[in-house]
Amino acid sequence: MSGTAFHPTTTNNILFLSCCFYQTGIQTHVMRKICLSFCFILLVRSVSFAQELSKLGELSKEEIDLKECAFDTDANTIILLREAVSDYDDQHHLVTTYHIRVKILKESGLKAANVSIPFYRKNDFEQIDKVEGVTINAMPDGNIVKEKLDGKSVFTKETNERYGEVVFAFPAVTVGSIIEYKYRSTMRNYGGLESWYFQAEAPVLLSKYKVTMLPKAEFAYRVNKRRDLDVVIKPDKDNGTVYFEMKNIPGLDHEPYMDSRKDYLQKVIFQLSGFHTDGFGNNKFMTSWDELNKVLLTSGDFSDQLKKNVDAPELTGLVKSLTTPEEKMKAVYNYVRNNMSWNGIYSKFATDGIKEAWKRRKGTSGEINLLLVNLLNEAGLEVYPMLVSERFHGKVNTDYPFIDQFNSVFACVVINSKSYYLDATDKFCPPHITPYDILNTTAFVVKKKAGQLINIINDSLQYKEDVLTFMEIKDDGSVEGTVTVKSEDYARVEKLKTYRSKKEKVKNNYFSDDGFLMDITKFKMNNLENDSLPLEQEFEFTSALNNSGDYKYIPLNFLPDFTKNPFVNDNRFSNINFGYRRNISLVDNIKLPANYIVDNIPKRVKMTTPDKDITFQRQFTYD
């Protein structure tokens, strides 16, 4: 067993309100984690297999009597048990048998009875079989009733060209039911070995996993966990196995301003790093970033695609008429994203080739962006393909040169020592703005001489929005007003995306204040096509003030993103990552009737967090 570490916002009374929200910090850390890392060379055949799993339907009295989760009392379900055993057969297939037991605690948890098991179906890489399940109900008279899952209710669906899913629904499920199922996954080889997630959206009472590695295989594993949660790790050199176990793990759903949920899940990560061949020494798999760079430079569905001749004569003529590299970059970028349609699949490669993707005007992220790199290069620009791990996909650990840490490829253009990062699957982000999905991430730029890891940060552009309102209150409490919103930089990108995809949402409820219903008229958007100007949103509205007795209440907040506090949970697993700085200003001008008296004006206030990441300022003038 090797001891090598696996780096692991009078008559003509005017009330003036000004609110400003400044977010100077990008990321706030609220959680501490530890990583346990190990590396092993396992040479011995294991004799253990799926018989080590608990039997289906055998429950303890504590599980039957359980009414709520003691360490997560808001939970609507609890995973009583999630376990699996991975081993290999005579053909060295990776065979994993899973066993899951879930209790329904509240009516909102009944959806757990509808199960979906995803699998990688392309080229028959993975098969799911031996599905069995049971619904267990404790009756008022104390009897335990079990109803088996009918095999005819288990269906296999094709999700897309690569993935499928096995779906089924449990019978006779109600609040208090326990649903339990097993299934087997068979993969062609150990390249499919996945991370084991101890944590889930629901709290987990017990999670355990045992893996047997192939003979003469060298693999690494790394455990991500919080310091206050214990993990059991039991390596067995003689049998070539490692056993992992965790208990009483709170559920982790999406948290506000969270980057990648899976970065915070308690898990163990595996990586096959090499194998031993008798008489030929050790074979390693991309053990350095230089090796990864070399592999990509010799890959037919990666670097070879940059040498293809793509027939785009209209683009060639356009590029020749432009003089600056920035103009050429923008022309090629807009040409590709206006002429290509993304099929929704993330990829680092052009599996079917960029010429085929160009022919059908549709492709994966890899095909579209390698096409973009190709055409940018033809335009005479300095451009490189860049592997990225978008924020939802998870952080890149720079200690390990594993290509699976990345989910897509972008184009990196260098002009006068400034880098631009382009994703032609994005229809809204202009070339001078770094895409939000890769802000504060690590990328790998593929170059002929030597690849380069880079940290993608934004130190200039921000989310900037100015909201200006004019309201006139009538004697009867009715209101007439106008609102103008100017959105710049990232605010422009977000608002444009919302407007293009959900126009009615923008018009009907985007500008509504909580409890203040507006009849919006003369709504219009300005500067839709010019990405160098702020996106202007203008509208007129009529409404009526809410009242209580002789008091009428004037709404002051026209920022729908700030109607409630997103940070109310006592416990949080993930860091707060806003992605970019924000500067939001709200100015309200209110004209009151002569017979109205202002009962109370909020005090001027300026609040700043201890680390000065967030500043809020409010001030009023009354004439």
Side-chain angles (χ1 to χ4, degrees), residues 50 53-54 56 82-86 94-100 117 126 128 130 132 181-187 192-196 209:
L53 298 177
S54 305
L56 203 68
R82 185 173 185 268
E83 61 177 344
V85 172
S86 291
L94 173 62
V95 183
T96 305
T97 303
Y98 295 84
H99 178 205
I100 296 93
I117 304 169
E126 183 181 8
I128 301 294
K130 295 193 173 182
E132 54 180 329
Y181 58 98
K182 285 185 176 182
Y183 65 94
R184 183 177 69 175
S185 161
T186 304
M187 297 183 177
L193 185 63
E194 299 175 336
S195 300
W196 176 258
Y209 179 58

PDB file of all heavy atoms in Angstrom, residues 50 53-54 56 82-86 94-100 117 126 128 130 132 181-187 192-196 209:
ATOM      1  N   ALA A  50     -22.374  -8.111  -3.300  1.00  0.00           N
ATOM      2  CA  ALA A  50     -23.601  -7.425  -2.889  1.00  0.00           C
ATOM      3  C   ALA A  50     -24.324  -8.101  -1.738  1.00  0.00           C
ATOM      4  O   ALA A  50     -25.244  -7.527  -1.169  1.00  0.00           O
ATOM      5  CB  ALA A  50     -24.541  -7.293  -4.082  1.00  0.00           C
ATOM      6  N   LEU A  53     -25.019  -6.237   1.571  1.00  0.00           N
ATOM      7  CA  LEU A  53     -26.056  -5.236   1.763  1.00  0.00           C
ATOM      8  C   LEU A  53     -27.147  -5.761   2.684  1.00  0.00           C
ATOM      9  O   LEU A  53     -27.391  -6.975   2.768  1.00  0.00           O
ATOM     10  CB  LEU A  53     -26.671  -4.846   0.420  1.00  0.00           C
ATOM     11  CG  LEU A  53     -25.734  -4.198  -0.601  1.00  0.00           C
ATOM     12  CD1 LEU A  53     -26.485  -3.939  -1.907  1.00  0.00           C
ATOM     13  CD2 LEU A  53     -25.161  -2.902  -0.061  1.00  0.00           C
ATOM     14  N   SER A  54     -27.835  -4.813   3.330  1.00  0.00           N
ATOM     15  CA  SER A  54     -28.959  -5.182   4.190  1.00  0.00           C
ATOM     16  C   SER A  54     -30.078  -5.775   3.348  1.00  0.00           C
ATOM     17  O   SER A  54     -30.206  -5.496   2.149  1.00  0.00           O
ATOM     18  CB  SER A  54     -29.476  -3.945   4.933  1.00  0.00           C
ATOM     19  OG  SER A  54     -28.435  -3.326   5.651  1.00  0.00           O
ATOM     20  N   LEU A  56     -33.840  -6.395   1.946  1.00  0.00           N
ATOM     21  CA  LEU A  56     -34.974  -5.550   1.625  1.00  0.00           C
ATOM     22  C   LEU A  56     -36.139  -5.854   2.568  1.00  0.00           C
ATOM     23  O   LEU A  56     -36.507  -7.020   2.768  1.00  0.00           O
ATOM     24  CB  LEU A  56     -35.409  -5.800   0.171  1.00  0.00           C
ATOM     25  CG  LEU A  56     -36.187  -4.706  -0.527  1.00  0.00           C
ATOM     26  CD1 LEU A  56     -35.301  -3.485  -0.758  1.00  0.00           C
ATOM     27  CD2 LEU A  56     -36.708  -5.205  -1.879  1.00  0.00           C
ATOM     28  N   ARG A  82     -28.641   4.517   2.877  1.00  0.00           N
ATOM     29  CA  ARG A  82     -28.177   4.528   1.491  1.00  0.00           C
ATOM     30  C   ARG A  82     -26.834   3.821   1.471  1.00  0.00           C
ATOM     31  O   ARG A  82     -25.870   4.285   2.066  1.00  0.00           O
ATOM     32  CB  ARG A  82     -28.040   5.941   0.940  1.00  0.00           C
ATOM     33  CG  ARG A  82     -27.668   5.966  -0.546  1.00  0.00           C
ATOM     34  CD  ARG A  82     -27.710   7.367  -1.128  1.00  0.00           C
ATOM     35  NE  ARG A  82     -27.472   7.336  -2.556  1.00  0.00           N
ATOM     36  CZ  ARG A  82     -26.270   7.462  -3.118  1.00  0.00           C
ATOM     37  NH1 ARG A  82     -25.210   7.645  -2.347  1.00  0.00           N
ATOM     38  NH2 ARG A  82     -26.134   7.417  -4.431  1.00  0.00           N
ATOM     39  N   GLU A  83     -26.804   2.685   0.814  1.00  0.00           N
ATOM     40  CA  GLU A  83     -25.591   1.886   0.816  1.00  0.00           C
ATOM     41  C   GLU A  83     -25.358   1.282  -0.564  1.00  0.00           C
ATOM     42  O   GLU A  83     -26.278   1.151  -1.374  1.00  0.00           O
ATOM     43  CB  GLU A  83     -25.685   0.772   1.864  1.00  0.00           C
ATOM     44  CG  GLU A  83     -26.826  -0.195   1.629  1.00  0.00           C
ATOM     45  CD  GLU A  83     -26.860  -1.332   2.639  1.00  0.00           C
ATOM     46  OE1 GLU A  83     -25.849  -1.553   3.328  1.00  0.00           O
ATOM     47  OE2 GLU A  83     -27.906  -2.021   2.729  1.00  0.00           O
ATOM     48  N   ALA A  84     -24.099   0.919  -0.827  1.00  0.00           N
ATOM     49  CA  ALA A  84     -23.756   0.275  -2.094  1.00  0.00           C
ATOM     50  C   ALA A  84     -22.459  -0.493  -1.937  1.00  0.00           C
ATOM     51  O   ALA A  84     -21.635  -0.199  -1.067  1.00  0.00           O
ATOM     52  CB  ALA A  84     -23.630   1.303  -3.205  1.00  0.00           C
ATOM     53  N   VAL A  85     -22.317  -1.487  -2.792  1.00  0.00           N
ATOM     54  CA  VAL A  85     -21.085  -2.264  -2.874  1.00  0.00           C
ATOM     55  C   VAL A  85     -20.659  -2.319  -4.337  1.00  0.00           C
ATOM     56  O   VAL A  85     -21.459  -2.667  -5.213  1.00  0.00           O
ATOM     57  CB  VAL A  85     -21.278  -3.692  -2.328  1.00  0.00           C
ATOM     58  CG1 VAL A  85     -20.056  -4.546  -2.607  1.00  0.00           C
ATOM     59  CG2 VAL A  85     -21.576  -3.658  -0.841  1.00  0.00           C
ATOM     60  N   SER A  86     -19.403  -1.951  -4.623  1.00  0.00           N
ATOM     61  CA  SER A  86     -18.856  -2.017  -5.982  1.00  0.00           C
ATOM     62  C   SER A  86     -17.775  -3.089  -6.049  1.00  0.00           C
ATOM     63  O   SER A  86     -16.900  -3.160  -5.175  1.00  0.00           O
ATOM     64  CB  SER A  86     -18.256  -0.666  -6.392  1.00  0.00           C
ATOM     65  OG  SER A  86     -19.258   0.308  -6.566  1.00  0.00           O
ATOM     66  N   LEU A  94     -17.332  -3.035 -13.987  1.00  0.00           N
ATOM     67  CA  LEU A  94     -17.624  -2.443 -12.684  1.00  0.00           C
ATOM     68  C   LEU A  94     -19.078  -2.736 -12.347  1.00  0.00           C
ATOM     69  O   LEU A  94     -19.995  -2.297 -13.038  1.00  0.00           O
ATOM     70  CB  LEU A  94     -17.384  -0.932 -12.712  1.00  0.00           C
ATOM     71  CG  LEU A  94     -17.809  -0.154 -11.459  1.00  0.00           C
ATOM     72  CD1 LEU A  94     -17.026  -0.608 -10.231  1.00  0.00           C
ATOM     73  CD2 LEU A  94     -17.619   1.352 -11.675  1.00  0.00           C
ATOM     74  N   VAL A  95     -19.295  -3.519 -11.297  1.00  0.00           N
ATOM     75  CA  VAL A  95     -20.642  -3.933 -10.901  1.00  0.00           C
ATOM     76  C   VAL A  95     -20.957  -3.339  -9.527  1.00  0.00           C
ATOM     77  O   VAL A  95     -20.254  -3.623  -8.550  1.00  0.00           O
ATOM     78  CB  VAL A  95     -20.771  -5.467 -10.845  1.00  0.00           C
ATOM     79  CG1 VAL A  95     -22.207  -5.871 -10.505  1.00  0.00           C
ATOM     80  CG2 VAL A  95     -20.347  -6.085 -12.176  1.00  0.00           C
ATOM     81  N   THR A  96     -22.011  -2.516  -9.466  1.00  0.00           N
ATOM     82  CA  THR A  96     -22.388  -1.857  -8.214  1.00  0.00           C
ATOM     83  C   THR A  96     -23.842  -2.159  -7.898  1.00  0.00           C
ATOM     84  O   THR A  96     -24.723  -1.976  -8.743  1.00  0.00           O
ATOM     85  CB  THR A  96     -22.192  -0.332  -8.299  1.00  0.00           C
ATOM     86  OG1 THR A  96     -20.842  -0.044  -8.676  1.00  0.00           O
ATOM     87  CG2 THR A  96     -22.487   0.323  -6.960  1.00  0.00           C
ATOM     88  N   THR A  97     -24.096  -2.622  -6.701  1.00  0.00           N
ATOM     89  CA  THR A  97     -25.455  -2.869  -6.246  1.00  0.00           C
ATOM     90  C   THR A  97     -25.812  -1.828  -5.185  1.00  0.00           C
ATOM     91  O   THR A  97     -25.059  -1.624  -4.225  1.00  0.00           O
ATOM     92  CB  THR A  97     -25.615  -4.273  -5.656  1.00  0.00           C
ATOM     93  OG1 THR A  97     -25.216  -5.236  -6.639  1.00  0.00           O
ATOM     94  CG2 THR A  97     -27.057  -4.546  -5.263  1.00  0.00           C
ATOM     95  N   TYR A  98     -26.953  -1.166  -5.391  1.00  0.00           N
ATOM     96  CA  TYR A  98     -27.390  -0.077  -4.522  1.00  0.00           C
ATOM     97  C   TYR A  98     -28.599  -0.506  -3.695  1.00  0.00           C
ATOM     98  O   TYR A  98     -29.424  -1.317  -4.143  1.00  0.00           O
ATOM     99  CB  TYR A  98     -27.784   1.152  -5.349  1.00  0.00           C
ATOM    100  CG  TYR A  98     -26.662   1.788  -6.114  1.00  0.00           C
ATOM    101  CD1 TYR A  98     -26.288   1.294  -7.366  1.00  0.00           C
ATOM    102  CD2 TYR A  98     -25.975   2.889  -5.613  1.00  0.00           C
ATOM    103  CE1 TYR A  98     -25.263   1.885  -8.084  1.00  0.00           C
ATOM    104  CE2 TYR A  98     -24.953   3.491  -6.328  1.00  0.00           C
ATOM    105  CZ  TYR A  98     -24.595   2.985  -7.568  1.00  0.00           C
ATOM    106  OH  TYR A  98     -23.589   3.569  -8.280  1.00  0.00           O
ATOM    107  N   HIS A  99     -28.720   0.086  -2.507  1.00  0.00           N
ATOM    108  CA  HIS A  99     -29.860  -0.168  -1.630  1.00  0.00           C
ATOM    109  C   HIS A  99     -30.228   1.138  -0.944  1.00  0.00           C
ATOM    110  O   HIS A  99     -29.395   1.739  -0.252  1.00  0.00           O
ATOM    111  CB  HIS A  99     -29.491  -1.239  -0.596  1.00  0.00           C
ATOM    112  CG  HIS A  99     -30.584  -1.534   0.379  1.00  0.00           C
ATOM    113  ND1 HIS A  99     -30.342  -2.040   1.647  1.00  0.00           N
ATOM    114  CD2 HIS A  99     -31.942  -1.402   0.296  1.00  0.00           C
ATOM    115  CE1 HIS A  99     -31.491  -2.206   2.283  1.00  0.00           C
ATOM    116  NE2 HIS A  99     -32.479  -1.821   1.486  1.00  0.00           N
ATOM    117  N   ILE A 100     -31.473   1.590  -1.135  1.00  0.00           N
ATOM    118  CA  ILE A 100     -31.929   2.871  -0.588  1.00  0.00           C
ATOM    119  C   ILE A 100     -33.220   2.652   0.188  1.00  0.00           C
ATOM    120  O   ILE A 100     -34.134   1.964  -0.283  1.00  0.00           O
ATOM    121  CB  ILE A 100     -32.165   3.904  -1.711  1.00  0.00           C
ATOM    122  CG1 ILE A 100     -30.848   4.233  -2.428  1.00  0.00           C
ATOM    123  CG2 ILE A 100     -32.756   5.189  -1.132  1.00  0.00           C
ATOM    124  CD1 ILE A 100     -30.586   3.401  -3.647  1.00  0.00           C
ATOM    125  N   ILE A 117     -33.584   6.803 -11.900  1.00  0.00           N
ATOM    126  CA  ILE A 117     -32.195   6.372 -11.808  1.00  0.00           C
ATOM    127  C   ILE A 117     -31.515   6.672 -13.141  1.00  0.00           C
ATOM    128  O   ILE A 117     -31.741   5.974 -14.130  1.00  0.00           O
ATOM    129  CB  ILE A 117     -32.087   4.865 -11.504  1.00  0.00           C
ATOM    130  CG1 ILE A 117     -32.854   4.529 -10.219  1.00  0.00           C
ATOM    131  CG2 ILE A 117     -30.637   4.439 -11.411  1.00  0.00           C
ATOM    132  CD1 ILE A 117     -33.012   3.030  -9.988  1.00  0.00           C
ATOM    133  N   GLU A 126     -23.400   1.451 -19.788  1.00  0.00           N
ATOM    134  CA  GLU A 126     -23.965   1.092 -18.481  1.00  0.00           C
ATOM    135  C   GLU A 126     -25.334   0.456 -18.640  1.00  0.00           C
ATOM    136  O   GLU A 126     -26.134   0.866 -19.481  1.00  0.00           O
ATOM    137  CB  GLU A 126     -24.063   2.331 -17.576  1.00  0.00           C
ATOM    138  CG  GLU A 126     -24.563   2.036 -16.169  1.00  0.00           C
ATOM    139  CD  GLU A 126     -24.669   3.277 -15.308  1.00  0.00           C
ATOM    140  OE1 GLU A 126     -24.494   4.397 -15.838  1.00  0.00           O
ATOM    141  OE2 GLU A 126     -24.938   3.128 -14.096  1.00  0.00           O
ATOM    142  N   ILE A 128     -28.742  -0.987 -16.260  1.00  0.00           N
ATOM    143  CA  ILE A 128     -29.406  -1.044 -14.958  1.00  0.00           C
ATOM    144  C   ILE A 128     -30.360  -2.235 -14.961  1.00  0.00           C
ATOM    145  O   ILE A 128     -31.191  -2.374 -15.865  1.00  0.00           O
ATOM    146  CB  ILE A 128     -30.200   0.245 -14.662  1.00  0.00           C
ATOM    147  CG1 ILE A 128     -29.284   1.468 -14.677  1.00  0.00           C
ATOM    148  CG2 ILE A 128     -30.925   0.136 -13.319  1.00  0.00           C
ATOM    149  CD1 ILE A 128     -28.249   1.503 -13.590  1.00  0.00           C
ATOM    150  N   LYS A 130     -32.070  -5.730 -12.258  1.00  0.00           N
ATOM    151  CA  LYS A 130     -32.382  -6.276 -10.935  1.00  0.00           C
ATOM    152  C   LYS A 130     -33.029  -5.244 -10.012  1.00  0.00           C
ATOM    153  O   LYS A 130     -32.659  -5.117  -8.828  1.00  0.00           O
ATOM    154  CB  LYS A 130     -31.141  -6.878 -10.283  1.00  0.00           C
ATOM    155  CG  LYS A 130     -30.612  -8.095 -11.025  1.00  0.00           C
ATOM    156  CD  LYS A 130     -29.589  -8.858 -10.203  1.00  0.00           C
ATOM    157  CE  LYS A 130     -29.212 -10.162 -10.906  1.00  0.00           C
ATOM    158  NZ  LYS A 130     -28.252 -10.964 -10.113  1.00  0.00           N
ATOM    159  N   GLU A 132     -35.783  -3.969  -7.687  1.00  0.00           N
ATOM    160  CA  GLU A 132     -36.840  -4.486  -6.825  1.00  0.00           C
ATOM    161  C   GLU A 132     -37.122  -3.470  -5.731  1.00  0.00           C
ATOM    162  O   GLU A 132     -36.243  -2.689  -5.347  1.00  0.00           O
ATOM    163  CB  GLU A 132     -36.446  -5.826  -6.202  1.00  0.00           C
ATOM    164  CG  GLU A 132     -35.128  -5.808  -5.452  1.00  0.00           C
ATOM    165  CD  GLU A 132     -34.780  -7.157  -4.849  1.00  0.00           C
ATOM    166  OE1 GLU A 132     -35.709  -7.893  -4.487  1.00  0.00           O
ATOM    167  OE2 GLU A 132     -33.575  -7.465  -4.738  1.00  0.00           O
ATOM    168  N   TYR A 181     -35.742   0.279  -2.069  1.00  0.00           N
ATOM    169  CA  TYR A 181     -35.481  -0.370  -3.357  1.00  0.00           C
ATOM    170  C   TYR A 181     -34.002  -0.697  -3.517  1.00  0.00           C
ATOM    171  O   TYR A 181     -33.125  -0.110  -2.880  1.00  0.00           O
ATOM    172  CB  TYR A 181     -35.953   0.489  -4.522  1.00  0.00           C
ATOM    173  CG  TYR A 181     -35.347   1.874  -4.628  1.00  0.00           C
ATOM    174  CD1 TYR A 181     -34.292   2.132  -5.486  1.00  0.00           C
ATOM    175  CD2 TYR A 181     -35.850   2.923  -3.860  1.00  0.00           C
ATOM    176  CE1 TYR A 181     -33.748   3.392  -5.598  1.00  0.00           C
ATOM    177  CE2 TYR A 181     -35.313   4.196  -3.961  1.00  0.00           C
ATOM    178  CZ  TYR A 181     -34.260   4.432  -4.832  1.00  0.00           C
ATOM    179  OH  TYR A 181     -33.722   5.687  -4.932  1.00  0.00           O
ATOM    180  N   LYS A 182     -33.772  -1.675  -4.395  1.00  0.00           N
ATOM    181  CA  LYS A 182     -32.426  -2.081  -4.783  1.00  0.00           C
ATOM    182  C   LYS A 182     -32.333  -2.118  -6.300  1.00  0.00           C
ATOM    183  O   LYS A 182     -33.329  -2.321  -6.993  1.00  0.00           O
ATOM    184  CB  LYS A 182     -32.099  -3.477  -4.220  1.00  0.00           C
ATOM    185  CG  LYS A 182     -31.801  -3.534  -2.740  1.00  0.00           C
ATOM    186  CD  LYS A 182     -31.372  -4.964  -2.351  1.00  0.00           C
ATOM    187  CE  LYS A 182     -30.975  -5.040  -0.875  1.00  0.00           C
ATOM    188  NZ  LYS A 182     -30.510  -6.396  -0.497  1.00  0.00           N
ATOM    189  N   TYR A 183     -31.107  -1.945  -6.796  1.00  0.00           N
ATOM    190  CA  TYR A 183     -30.877  -2.146  -8.226  1.00  0.00           C
ATOM    191  C   TYR A 183     -29.388  -2.377  -8.455  1.00  0.00           C
ATOM    192  O   TYR A 183     -28.558  -2.090  -7.592  1.00  0.00           O
ATOM    193  CB  TYR A 183     -31.368  -0.966  -9.054  1.00  0.00           C
ATOM    194  CG  TYR A 183     -30.648   0.337  -8.820  1.00  0.00           C
ATOM    195  CD1 TYR A 183     -29.566   0.723  -9.614  1.00  0.00           C
ATOM    196  CD2 TYR A 183     -31.046   1.203  -7.799  1.00  0.00           C
ATOM    197  CE1 TYR A 183     -28.911   1.919  -9.408  1.00  0.00           C
ATOM    198  CE2 TYR A 183     -30.400   2.404  -7.580  1.00  0.00           C
ATOM    199  CZ  TYR A 183     -29.331   2.758  -8.387  1.00  0.00           C
ATOM    200  OH  TYR A 183     -28.682   3.948  -8.170  1.00  0.00           O
ATOM    201  N   ARG A 184     -29.084  -2.892  -9.646  1.00  0.00           N
ATOM    202  CA  ARG A 184     -27.686  -3.155  -9.992  1.00  0.00           C
ATOM    203  C   ARG A 184     -27.278  -2.345 -11.217  1.00  0.00           C
ATOM    204  O   ARG A 184     -28.032  -2.248 -12.187  1.00  0.00           O
ATOM    205  CB  ARG A 184     -27.481  -4.650 -10.278  1.00  0.00           C
ATOM    206  CG  ARG A 184     -26.024  -5.023 -10.569  1.00  0.00           C
ATOM    207  CD  ARG A 184     -25.868  -6.509 -10.780  1.00  0.00           C
ATOM    208  NE  ARG A 184     -26.490  -6.950 -12.023  1.00  0.00           N
ATOM    209  CZ  ARG A 184     -26.423  -8.191 -12.509  1.00  0.00           C
ATOM    210  NH1 ARG A 184     -25.769  -9.128 -11.819  1.00  0.00           N
ATOM    211  NH2 ARG A 184     -27.014  -8.517 -13.632  1.00  0.00           N
ATOM    212  N   SER A 185     -26.087  -1.761 -11.151  1.00  0.00           N
ATOM    213  CA  SER A 185     -25.490  -1.057 -12.282  1.00  0.00           C
ATOM    214  C   SER A 185     -24.266  -1.839 -12.743  1.00  0.00           C
ATOM    215  O   SER A 185     -23.406  -2.193 -11.922  1.00  0.00           O
ATOM    216  CB  SER A 185     -25.080   0.360 -11.880  1.00  0.00           C
ATOM    217  OG  SER A 185     -24.143   0.909 -12.789  1.00  0.00           O
ATOM    218  N   THR A 186     -24.194  -2.106 -14.057  1.00  0.00           N
ATOM    219  CA  THR A 186     -23.017  -2.760 -14.631  1.00  0.00           C
ATOM    220  C   THR A 186     -22.415  -1.856 -15.690  1.00  0.00           C
ATOM    221  O   THR A 186     -23.080  -1.517 -16.668  1.00  0.00           O
ATOM    222  CB  THR A 186     -23.383  -4.122 -15.251  1.00  0.00           C
ATOM    223  OG1 THR A 186     -24.008  -4.942 -14.251  1.00  0.00           O
ATOM    224  CG2 THR A 186     -22.145  -4.821 -15.781  1.00  0.00           C
ATOM    225  N   MET A 187     -21.171  -1.456 -15.476  1.00  0.00           N
ATOM    226  CA  MET A 187     -20.457  -0.605 -16.426  1.00  0.00           C
ATOM    227  C   MET A 187     -19.349  -1.406 -17.106  1.00  0.00           C
ATOM    228  O   MET A 187     -18.810  -2.338 -16.524  1.00  0.00           O
ATOM    229  CB  MET A 187     -19.864   0.613 -15.722  1.00  0.00           C
ATOM    230  CG  MET A 187     -20.901   1.534 -15.095  1.00  0.00           C
ATOM    231  SD  MET A 187     -20.108   2.990 -14.360  1.00  0.00           S
ATOM    232  CE  MET A 187     -21.557   3.896 -13.794  1.00  0.00           C
ATOM    233  N   GLY A 192     -15.937   4.247 -15.180  1.00  0.00           N
ATOM    234  CA  GLY A 192     -17.213   4.793 -14.740  1.00  0.00           C
ATOM    235  C   GLY A 192     -17.339   4.937 -13.237  1.00  0.00           C
ATOM    236  O   GLY A 192     -18.412   5.303 -12.738  1.00  0.00           O
ATOM    237  N   LEU A 193     -16.255   4.650 -12.494  1.00  0.00           N
ATOM    238  CA  LEU A 193     -16.322   4.746 -11.039  1.00  0.00           C
ATOM    239  C   LEU A 193     -16.660   6.169 -10.624  1.00  0.00           C
ATOM    240  O   LEU A 193     -15.923   7.111 -10.925  1.00  0.00           O
ATOM    241  CB  LEU A 193     -14.984   4.321 -10.419  1.00  0.00           C
ATOM    242  CG  LEU A 193     -14.943   4.263  -8.895  1.00  0.00           C
ATOM    243  CD1 LEU A 193     -15.910   3.225  -8.342  1.00  0.00           C
ATOM    244  CD2 LEU A 193     -13.523   3.963  -8.418  1.00  0.00           C
ATOM    245  N   GLU A 194     -17.767   6.338  -9.934  1.00  0.00           N
ATOM    246  CA  GLU A 194     -18.270   7.663  -9.592  1.00  0.00           C
ATOM    247  C   GLU A 194     -17.995   8.002  -8.135  1.00  0.00           C
ATOM    248  O   GLU A 194     -17.700   7.133  -7.318  1.00  0.00           O
ATOM    249  CB  GLU A 194     -19.785   7.730  -9.856  1.00  0.00           C
ATOM    250  CG  GLU A 194     -20.160   7.496 -11.305  1.00  0.00           C
ATOM    251  CD  GLU A 194     -21.667   7.445 -11.506  1.00  0.00           C
ATOM    252  OE1 GLU A 194     -22.373   7.133 -10.527  1.00  0.00           O
ATOM    253  OE2 GLU A 194     -22.124   7.708 -12.627  1.00  0.00           O
ATOM    254  N   SER A 195     -18.111   9.290  -7.830  1.00  0.00           N
ATOM    255  CA  SER A 195     -18.009   9.722  -6.443  1.00  0.00           C
ATOM    256  C   SER A 195     -19.161   9.127  -5.640  1.00  0.00           C
ATOM    257  O   SER A 195     -20.266   8.918  -6.172  1.00  0.00           O
ATOM    258  CB  SER A 195     -18.062  11.249  -6.349  1.00  0.00           C
ATOM    259  OG  SER A 195     -16.994  11.850  -7.065  1.00  0.00           O
ATOM    260  N   TRP A 196     -18.887   8.839  -4.374  1.00  0.00           N
ATOM    261  CA  TRP A 196     -19.955   8.388  -3.484  1.00  0.00           C
ATOM    262  C   TRP A 196     -20.398   9.574  -2.642  1.00  0.00           C
ATOM    263  O   TRP A 196     -19.595  10.176  -1.921  1.00  0.00           O
ATOM    264  CB  TRP A 196     -19.493   7.258  -2.578  1.00  0.00           C
ATOM    265  CG  TRP A 196     -20.561   6.849  -1.602  1.00  0.00           C
ATOM    266  CD1 TRP A 196     -20.652   7.164  -0.284  1.00  0.00           C
ATOM    267  CD2 TRP A 196     -21.729   6.071  -1.894  1.00  0.00           C
ATOM    268  NE1 TRP A 196     -21.786   6.632   0.272  1.00  0.00           N
ATOM    269  CE2 TRP A 196     -22.474   5.950  -0.697  1.00  0.00           C
ATOM    270  CE3 TRP A 196     -22.216   5.455  -3.044  1.00  0.00           C
ATOM    271  CZ2 TRP A 196     -23.671   5.256  -0.617  1.00  0.00           C
ATOM    272  CZ3 TRP A 196     -23.410   4.752  -2.974  1.00  0.00           C
ATOM    273  CH2 TRP A 196     -24.125   4.662  -1.774  1.00  0.00           C
ATOM    274  N   TYR A 209     -20.501   2.759   1.965  1.00  0.00           N
ATOM    275  CA  TYR A 209     -20.083   2.329   0.630  1.00  0.00           C
ATOM    276  C   TYR A 209     -18.811   1.502   0.746  1.00  0.00           C
ATOM    277  O   TYR A 209     -17.883   1.856   1.494  1.00  0.00           O
ATOM    278  CB  TYR A 209     -19.834   3.547  -0.245  1.00  0.00           C
ATOM    279  CG  TYR A 209     -19.379   3.227  -1.652  1.00  0.00           C
ATOM    280  CD1 TYR A 209     -20.153   2.429  -2.491  1.00  0.00           C
ATOM    281  CD2 TYR A 209     -18.183   3.742  -2.142  1.00  0.00           C
ATOM    282  CE1 TYR A 209     -19.746   2.145  -3.787  1.00  0.00           C
ATOM    283  CE2 TYR A 209     -17.764   3.472  -3.444  1.00  0.00           C
ATOM    284  CZ  TYR A 209     -18.554   2.668  -4.250  1.00  0.00           C
ATOM    285  OH  TYR A 209     -18.153   2.392  -5.542  1.00  0.00           O
TER     286      TYR A 209
END
